[in-house]
Amino acid sequence: MTKILPFKAVRPAPAFAGLVASRPYEDYSENELRAQLDYNPYSFLHIINPGYKFQHEIGGEKRFGMVRNRYLEFREEGVFQKDENASYYIYEIHSREGSCCGIIAAASIDDYEKDVICRHEDTIAHREELFKEYLKVVGFNTEPVLLTYPDNSVINELLAEKMKMRPEYEFATNNKELHRLWLIDDPEHVSKIRSEFEKQEKIYIADGHHRSASSYLLAKESRENNPNHTGEESYNFFMSYLISESNLRIYEFSRLIRDLNGHTKEEFLILLDEWFRIENRGYEIYKPSKKHHFNMYLDGEFYSLYLRKTNYEFTDSLSELDSFILFEKILKPILGIEDLRYDKRIEYIHGRNDLIELKTRVDSGEFAVGFGMLPASIEEIKQIADENLTMPPKSTYIEPKLRSGLTIYEF
């Protein structure tokens, strides 16, 4: 049984919603970021970049405290207001790729601890701890964890009914997306949604493993420090965006490697031949169409690599994952890439960018070789999570990506 609850969000007043909402901080170029901070006083970027007010870079715990101060200023000025009733929030994004919608709600830390909310990625301990300290100081979270569940006709019908009504927010962004948000706070619909989620034996983290892990650490610490702990406190939950599996968009990451680890082109191809059937595609841009097929761009030409399945043994769901095969049979043994997170010789391009970028970056001389593959499926992700296995870093790039600042969960 999965516990997914409504909560009282802190939100922008409707007049400010489009101005407040921002992309993740790291998505902005330096010039774009400066323009937002210079000319939009309501951007959520002012909260997460509090030193800009004083034209001064601020780091560490001092920055955390100033984030808290900027947030309180937005509340005091009426830019943010807290809802009186606990609600579920329908959030829809319509883009050139299509539309998707889901429910923003509070997910249970206990479900996370018991693996009712299932994971498929490893997290880094120091990042978990750093974000836990950030949450503790600022007292709020504005980036929901992306959770996915099997399509549910009852929830779908309820959302469709509600979305016929005028939304609370409706605004467009300069990347040609339309964002809309509705509130569900009437007791009958709230009860129905909660009941439908309670029927789910498991739900899965699609994106946000570090956010959920940090919320778990904060909950553990808060429970230990609260002698009157009841289990209903806000720290026992974390904000999530729950989206049906059919609404999820999963892309691959291509790999770019700076050198051939001392091998000549000919030596490298001979080493690949042990595990892959290789076809030179010349100047034809090649993208795989099947699992266990890879594309490679090397020395101005595309190659297809087909895994020799007579040589390779499938032992579990992880061993069948293409990003794992690429690491185990090429990146690690041949190219000497041991650490996919921190090795400076490897970079990644998410699959929303086409193969022209991979080709351009190899042709520039910055990289020697690039590899691509098909994206993992939701079935693969779920199977790996069910077997308590973890995917290699940068195995998936998952959308939708929500705007920051539209719903805020206070601890």
Side-chain angles (χ1 to χ4, degrees), residues 89-94 99-102 163 170 178-182 241:
Y89 302 87
I90 305 173
Y91 187 8
E92 181 192 42
I93 305 173
H94 186 82
S99 63
C100 62
C101 74
M163 291 168 67
E170 183 172 26
L178 177 66
H179 296 254
R180 300 196 293 176
L181 183 137
W182 295 260
Y241 182 52

Side-chain angles (χ1 to χ4, degrees), residues 280-333:
N280 187 329
R281 302 277 179 157
Y283 301 116
E284 172 195 354
I285 294 179
Y286 169 74
K287 188 175 179 65
S289 59
K290 296 181 180 179
K291 274 176 61 68
H292 313 323
H293 290 189
F294 304 84
N295 63 289
M296 179 176 73
Y297 185 67
L298 172 69
D299 195 25
E301 295 178 306
F302 281 94
Y303 294 80
S304 57
L305 307 180
Y306 301 153
L307 180 68
R308 296 185 188 277
K309 297 179 182 179
T310 53
N311 292 358
Y312 186 85
E313 182 180 4
F314 297 113
T315 56
D316 54 27
S317 58
L318 182 61
S319 69
E320 296 193 31
L321 190 70
D322 283 345
S323 61
F324 180 83
I325 293 169
L326 185 64
F327 175 65
E328 286 291 316
K329 296 305 175 188
I330 301 178
L331 300 184
K332 183 179 178 181

Side-chain angles (χ1 to χ4, degrees), residues 39 116 170-171 192 215 257 265 311 321 329 345 383:
Y39 300 113
V116 174
E170 183 172 26
F171 60 90
K192 188 177 291 187
S215 296
I257 314 299
K265 173 184 171 181
N311 292 358
L321 190 70
K329 296 305 175 188
R345 295 171 55 230
Q383 186 63 37

Side-chain angles (χ1 to χ4, degrees), residues 132-388:
K132 184 263 289 184
E133 290 301 315
Y134 172 82
L135 294 176
K136 184 165 67 173
V137 174
V138 303
F140 67 84
N141 190 1
T142 188
E143 296 186 19
V145 174
L146 184 62
L147 302 178
T148 190
Y149 61 93
D151 283 59
N152 180 293
S153 60
V154 174
I155 293 177
N156 289 345
E157 289 170 10
L158 195 153
L159 297 189
E161 178 185 343
K162 187 68 178 180
M163 291 168 67
K164 293 175 183 176
M165 303 178 185
R166 183 174 180 176
E168 180 79 2
Y169 302 148
E170 183 172 26
F171 60 90
T173 56
N174 57 12
N175 62 344
K176 298 184 178 181
E177 290 181 346
L178 177 66
H179 296 254
R180 300 196 293 176
L181 183 137
W182 295 260
L183 276 65
I184 300 178
D185 60 359
D186 58 286
E188 180 185 351
H189 286 166
V190 165
S191 176
K192 188 177 291 187
I193 290 174
R194 179 170 178 172
S195 174
E196 288 302 312
F197 278 119
E198 285 177 349
K199 296 174 185 177
Q200 302 293 328
E201 292 185 8
K202 291 182 178 182
I203 56 178
Y204 295 83
I205 297 176
D207 190 32
H209 286 78
H210 281 92
R211 277 169 272 156
S212 50
S214 301
S215 296
Y216 170 67
L217 291 179
L218 178 63
K220 281 184 62 178
E221 183 176 302
S222 300
R223 291 172 178 182
E224 292 167 0
N225 293 332
N226 182 5
N228 300 313
H229 169 77
T230 66
E232 299 302 316
E233 297 87 354
S234 58
Y235 58 70
N236 293 290
F237 302 88
F238 57 94
M239 186 168 65
S240 300
Y241 182 52
L242 293 110
I243 188 167
S244 64
E245 292 173 5
S246 64
N247 269 273
L248 209 61
R249 295 199 293 267
I250 306 173
Y251 301 91
E252 76 284 4
F253 276 97
S254 295
R255 274 77 167 134
L256 289 164
I257 314 299
R258 296 190 188 280
D259 58 67
L260 297 182
N261 198 30
H263 303 298
T264 65
K265 173 184 171 181
E266 291 72 21
E267 290 169 342
F268 179 57
L269 291 171
I270 290 169
L271 290 169
L272 290 179
D273 187 70
E274 179 181 358
W275 294 103
F276 301 92
R277 181 163 60 86
I278 306 168
E279 291 187 16
N280 187 329
R281 302 277 179 157
Y283 301 116
E284 172 195 354
I285 294 179
Y286 169 74
K287 188 175 179 65
S289 59
K290 296 181 180 179
K291 274 176 61 68
H292 313 323
H293 290 189
F294 304 84
N295 63 289
M296 179 176 73
Y297 185 67
L298 172 69
D299 195 25
E301 295 178 306
F302 281 94
Y303 294 80
S304 57
L305 307 180
Y306 301 153
L307 180 68
R308 296 185 188 277
K309 297 179 182 179
T310 53
N311 292 358
Y312 186 85
E313 182 180 4
F314 297 113
T315 56
D316 54 27
S317 58
L318 182 61
S319 69
E320 296 193 31
L321 190 70
D322 283 345
S323 61
F324 180 83
I325 293 169
L326 185 64
F327 175 65
E328 286 291 316
K329 296 305 175 188
I330 301 178
L331 300 184
K332 183 179 178 181
I334 299 176
L335 294 175
I337 305 290
E338 300 275 349
D339 190 333
L340 293 173
R341 293 187 191 275
Y342 297 115
D343 196 310
K344 301 297 184 185
R345 295 171 55 230
I346 186 169
E347 285 191 17
Y348 303 90
I349 305 172
H350 63 69
R352 284 198 63 178
N353 295 333
D354 59 31
L355 291 174
I356 296 298
E357 181 176 349
L358 182 145
K359 178 181 184 302
T360 299
R361 297 187 71 181
V362 173
D363 287 344
S364 73
E366 182 184 4
F367 296 94
V369 64
F371 299 95
M373 68 203 90
L374 287 180
S377 67
I378 184 59
E379 289 76 20
E380 288 179 292
I381 292 172
K382 290 168 62 176
Q383 186 63 37
I384 286 170
D386 289 344
E387 294 178 19
N388 293 315

